[in-house]
Amino acid sequence: MMYLRRTFIAITFFTGLCYAQVGIGTNTPKAILDIESNNSGVLLPRITSVENITSPQEGMIYYDSTNKAFTYYDGIEWHYINFSTQPFAHNRNSGQVKINGYNNDGSGSQKISFKNIGGNPDSEGNFSLDPIILDTDESEDKVTAGELLISSSPTTSWPDNLSSELTNEQLQETVYDFENDTFLENPVFGQVTIWRIILSYKKVSGATGLLFRLYNPNPDSSFDEEKLIHISPEHTKGNLTFNVVTIGDELSIPNESNPNSKGYRFEIGADDPMKEIVIESITRISLQYD
């Protein structure tokens, strides 16, 4: 009888342990397992290949020591903790780069500017457009990498997918092709980019509209975006903003398989002559892409 009583007490005690909250480093656990430490962490299983797990269970988690990332099993397939099936997608692709102008003669800040630009559209309604390029004049030396005037942080935040070992000149070459005078997306296929162009204008004529064009010069591409903004006749000066969205692909991002992929060209025009148009800034905003 005494033996049965002891057995009952032992079973009752063990059952209580099974349902009790367990604390490691704390005497007052607040969950089924509560771990506290000021100088250490929890070490999960480190596995070199998911193939080593023969019977995965939904909710299982481990550290992929080959790709240096945590992974979990959703009951169907393995995912990296960054919610991607790719190990390195947690590297941040988002960021923005703001070009305020350039300095290729040592005189300080220079803006991309146009004098007496624009003219009446032709019989088919086509504007006379001028290219927005980082050259003051064909007779002068071209702007080169390192001469762009890039806003400081946090206005400019280079995407983390670009190596931190890149020099300033190399970073600038990821936003502008100095040989072909084209603007470049962050070199990630499928990433969405917003181009924001801010300009100021002065007019003495009856100009009522400014046209901004962004197009892909690759002959295999049909991407050609035009934005027309109305100007009130009574406004002789002001500021305007154009926003255009592009998506990086093999036709726009320079790559070995398609030598015609050299980025985008920008153009500006007006329906009647403008006294002056100044490109105050061009910002490339790369949205997050996994």
Side-chain angles (χ1 to χ4, degrees), residues 263-279:
Y264 299 93
R265 291 210 170 98
F266 299 171
E267 296 180 342
I268 193 76
D271 60 348
D272 273 320
M274 304 285 290
K275 183 177 180 181
E276 181 181 48
I277 293 178
V278 177
I279 308 300

Side-chain angles (χ1 to χ4, degrees), residues 9-224:
I9 293 174
I11 294 175
T12 303
F13 178 74
F14 179 76
T15 303
L17 284 178
C18 290
Y19 289 93
Q21 294 176 319
V22 177
I24 300 177
T26 176
N27 295 322
T28 57
K30 299 179 178 61
I32 190 171
L33 177 61
D34 189 347
I35 303 174
E36 290 189 12
S37 175
N38 292 323
N39 55 15
S40 188
V42 176
L43 190 59
L44 294 177
R46 291 156 290 177
I47 301 176
T48 57
S49 174
V50 69
E51 295 178 355
N52 294 334
I53 302 177
T54 57
S55 300
Q57 302 297 312
E58 183 176 356
M60 186 177 288
I61 186 172
Y62 76 94
Y63 179 74
D64 183 338
S65 59
T66 300
N67 292 310
K68 311 301 181 185
F70 289 99
T71 63
Y72 71 94
Y73 190 67
D74 66 0
I76 300 177
E77 61 180 344
W78 289 97
H79 293 268
Y80 290 90
I81 289 296
N82 53 25
F83 304 107
S84 171
T85 56
Q86 300 300 317
F88 302 113
H90 59 281
N91 289 340
R92 191 173 64 88
N93 297 326
S94 60
Q96 62 280 339
V97 182
K98 183 181 180 184
I99 303 173
N100 289 324
Y102 56 92
N103 178 18
N104 70 341
D105 63 1
S107 63
S109 176
Q110 296 171 264
K111 301 287 186 180
I112 305 171
S113 59
F114 305 89
K115 302 289 187 180
N116 301 315
I117 182 176
N120 292 319
D122 60 24
S123 59
E124 297 181 353
N126 297 315
F127 282 41
S128 174
L129 300 176
D130 287 78
I132 298 175
I133 58 177
L134 296 170
D135 293 315
T136 55
D137 189 275
E138 289 297 328
S139 63
E140 298 182 16
D141 292 335
K142 286 177 175 260
V143 176
T144 60
E147 295 176 337
L148 294 187
L149 298 176
I150 305 293
S151 292
S152 59
S153 177
T155 304
T156 289
S157 176
W158 294 95
D160 287 348
N161 62 287
L162 300 177
S163 173
S164 59
E165 298 179 357
L166 293 178
T167 64
N168 180 53
E169 287 78 7
Q170 291 171 325
L171 285 172
Q172 291 191 8
E173 288 176 339
T174 69
V175 72
Y176 190 77
D177 185 329
F178 294 88
E179 180 179 351
N180 296 292
D181 288 320
T182 53
F183 291 85
L184 305 174
E185 297 157 313
N186 186 24
V188 177
F189 292 117
Q191 182 161 17
V192 177
T193 298
I194 299 176
W195 298 93
R196 185 183 68 186
I197 293 83
I198 299 177
L199 60 85
S200 61
Y201 68 88
K202 296 179 182 178
K203 69 184 183 77
V204 293
S205 65
T208 59
L210 274 179
L211 181 70
F212 172 77
R213 181 191 183 200
L214 185 156
Y215 69 100
N216 187 340
N218 189 327
D220 296 326
S221 175
S222 60
F223 183 83
D224 193 331

